[in-house]
Amino acid sequence: MTLSTAPNIDYSTEAYRRAYALINGVVIMGENHADHHFRLLADAIPADREELLALAAMEARHAREFVGCGRNLRVQADIPLARKLFQPLHDSLTSALEQGDLVRPLVIQCLIIECFAIAAYHCYLPVADPYAKGITTWVIDDEHLHLNYGEQWLQRNFSSHREAIAEACRRELPTTLTILQELWSDLEAIGIAPEALVAEFNCLLNDSLGAIGFQPKEVMAISTSAVARALAHL
Ligand code: PL3
Ligand code: FE2
Ligand code: FE2
């Protein structure tokens, strides 16, 4: 008798591999963008340059490791579609930085994208193939460092940027949830319940906004309401 609770997933079916191609593409694109974004932040925040370059290097390694996960399943990642899905967040981050704004880029990369990644990787762990599971486990630890960096910066600058942080969340959350909607059926096909991913994303983001300094009522108004609105459109 086995006590293992591992689900019985056949990683070699056409349906699994087709869905994995897009999910893997989104993950690789997300990690590549994260590498790029942390390097841009390193230029923009000279006091934290070394720390931000170290975070960027972790992201580059994540991208390489997830490329390996696709290769291991002999799946060709769908990069063009993934690139299209991330474009709005990426454009918003780079144009804010060009205007000298640090709040929006930190909200996009460190709060929204990192919470999304942690929630997604967490939901993926119990259904991952053994090769990907080993990688995803330590990647999650790294992602917490990325979230913590943004949380601490925003916490230190909370009083002067309170409204800008809230506004960035309100504007960027719908864009992020659009990515999730596009992945919905592919997530199901690889054994992830998208509703569970949304719920975990919402919890992580709420905790972060609370740690940064928002009152529970404000957190509800900023994050939970955006998530609920997005779900209502599904
Ligand atoms: C920042 O460090 C990384 C940003 C990546 C965003 C990932 C979104 C993931 C969507 C669903 C992924 C399920 C996990 C599959 C792993 C191959
Ligand atoms: Fe990462
Ligand atoms: Fe990250």
Side-chain angles (χ1 to χ4, degrees):
M1 193 184 97
T2 169
L3 292 174
S4 163
T5 53
N8 214 357
I9 295 179
D10 184 347
Y11 301 102
S12 65
T13 64
E14 204 37 51
Y16 186 92
R17 297 174 68 248
R18 203 178 308 120
Y20 200 82
L22 178 57
I23 305 273
N24 189 230
V26 167
V27 168
I28 293 166
M29 241 1 256
E31 297 290 359
N32 276 329
H33 273 311
D35 169 20
H36 183 193
H37 294 163
F38 278 114
R39 280 185 284 117
L40 292 174
L41 286 165
D43 290 338
I45 312 176
D48 293 343
R49 183 172 178 79
E50 292 313 313
E51 183 177 1
L52 286 160
L53 289 176
L55 301 186
M58 291 179 193
E59 303 292 24
R61 177 155 183 228
H62 298 169
R64 283 196 300 276
E65 296 287 352
F66 283 123
V67 167
C69 293
R71 195 179 298 132
N72 179 53
L73 295 178
R74 281 175 291 106
V75 164
Q76 179 71 49
D78 187 345
I79 298 294
L81 182 50
R83 185 187 302 279
K84 220 172 86 191
L85 292 178
F86 270 111
Q87 205 63 46
L89 279 179
H90 174 65
D91 289 347
S92 183
L93 182 145
T94 49
S95 65
L97 265 185
E98 277 159 20
Q99 289 158 28
D101 175 13
L102 291 177
V103 169
R104 183 177 304 274
L106 286 165
V107 166
I108 292 176
Q109 180 57 49
C110 296
L111 292 197
I112 298 181
I113 298 184
E114 299 295 347
C115 284
F116 187 36
I118 294 169
Y121 297 163
H122 216 214
C123 291
Y124 176 57
L125 269 187
V127 293
D129 65 83
Y131 180 87
K133 186 181 258 175
I135 289 164
T136 307
T137 303
W138 62 258
V139 167
I140 291 175
D141 291 339
D142 286 357
E143 306 305 8
H144 279 284
L145 301 176
H146 307 165
L147 171 59
N148 288 346
Y149 174 84
E151 240 176 53
Q152 284 166 15
W153 192 99
L154 293 165
Q155 193 178 47
R156 281 199 306 276
N157 295 275
F158 183 66
S159 51
S160 45
H161 293 95
R162 182 189 198 113
E163 189 38 44
I165 300 169
E167 203 281 320
C169 285
R170 281 194 294 266
R171 209 174 83 190
E172 309 298 344
L173 276 172
T175 323
T176 314
L177 292 160
T178 305
I179 301 179
L180 195 73
Q181 284 169 24
E182 294 291 326
L183 298 178
W184 204 266
S185 57
D186 291 313
L187 287 166
E188 288 176 328
I190 69 163
I192 294 178
E195 303 85 349
L197 202 170
V198 177
E200 181 155 354
F201 170 71
N202 195 16
C203 272
L204 286 162
L205 191 65
N206 287 357
D207 286 352
S208 267
L209 292 170
I212 287 168
F214 289 103
Q215 297 303 314
K217 255 192 174 157
E218 298 173 289
V219 171
M220 284 296 284
I222 297 166
S223 134
T224 304
S225 70
V227 172
R229 263 200 313 280
L231 284 179
H233 284 107
L234 287 176

